[in-house]
Amino acid sequence: MKRLTVAVILTCLATGAFAQDAVKDRQQAMKGIAASAKTLGDMATDKAPFDAALAEQARVTMQENAARIPALFEPNVIEGETEALPAIWENWDDFAAKGAALEKAAADATTGSLSDVQTAMAQIGPTCRACHTDYRE
Ligand code: HEC
């Protein structure tokens, strides 16, 4: 009996740690996406000087992090400090499609000129909102 209790406790601890990591990892990816969006957005609105190398780096970071969205959100975890809504796992295909839309917008974007970055942000921005409206608190 005692052994069983210990086993149950250990399992709970392991699951809890896994859950927290899952939440942290996906939030970390979102932070990378957000930092990239800020870099591009500041350039697009003249808050920062245009820098082609920096813009391209931000675009690539955004694309790579967006590509990880399905894998990062696959564990159905909504405990601890999270803004993720249960609707994600109830509408998984739609959620994944919205992640793919961001990935595609970042993949299709070009960053060679200021007007490229402005066009890119006009394509990327709505994909953030489209997902957050339904799936983020
Ligand atoms: C496919 C859906 C989806 C897309 C697309 C998406 N997000 Fe998110 N985002 C979420 C969800 C869900 C959360 C909440 C995650 C959590 O708290 O567990 C989140 C959280 C965040 C956070 C808070 C991260 C933290 O520190 O907790 C930021 C900032 C953010 N998103 C910015 C963006 C920006 C900027 C874009 C577009 C460039 C974007 N997101 C695109 C679903 C998405």
Side-chain angles (χ1 to χ4, degrees):
M1 189 61 189
K2 203 179 246 170
R3 198 172 279 171
L4 181 65
T5 311
V6 169
V8 168
I9 289 171
L10 285 177
T11 307
C12 289
L13 286 176
T15 314
F18 168 77
Q20 280 314 305
D21 284 351
V23 170
K24 231 185 284 155
D25 287 351
R26 71 196 186 205
Q27 289 173 341
Q28 206 55 48
M30 271 304 151
K31 283 197 179 93
I33 288 171
S36 306
K38 181 165 173 17
T39 299
L40 295 172
D42 283 354
M43 279 183 211
T45 55
D46 278 336
K47 279 191 205 125
F50 172 70
D51 178 330
L54 204 61
E56 179 59 12
Q57 197 186 356
R59 185 198 68 73
V60 170
T61 300
M62 190 180 286
Q63 184 184 341
E64 287 174 354
N65 281 328
R68 297 173 60 219
I69 288 177
L72 286 170
F73 279 88
E74 208 191 358
N76 181 344
V77 181
I78 76 178
E79 56 194 65
E81 297 214 5
T82 174
E83 296 171 341
L85 293 175
I88 292 171
W89 297 279
E90 290 156 11
N91 307 277
W92 178 256
D93 289 349
D94 181 61
F95 178 81
K98 289 190 156 101
L102 170 59
E103 184 187 355
K104 184 175 185 326
D108 290 350
T110 54
T111 52
S113 72
L114 177 58
S115 82
D116 285 345
V117 170
Q118 287 165 338
T119 305
M121 276 315 287
Q123 306 287 325
I124 289 165
T127 69
C128 315
R129 279 191 294 281
C131 190
H132 289 175
T133 303
D134 291 336
Y135 300 117
R136 182 184 174 198
E137 229 165 60

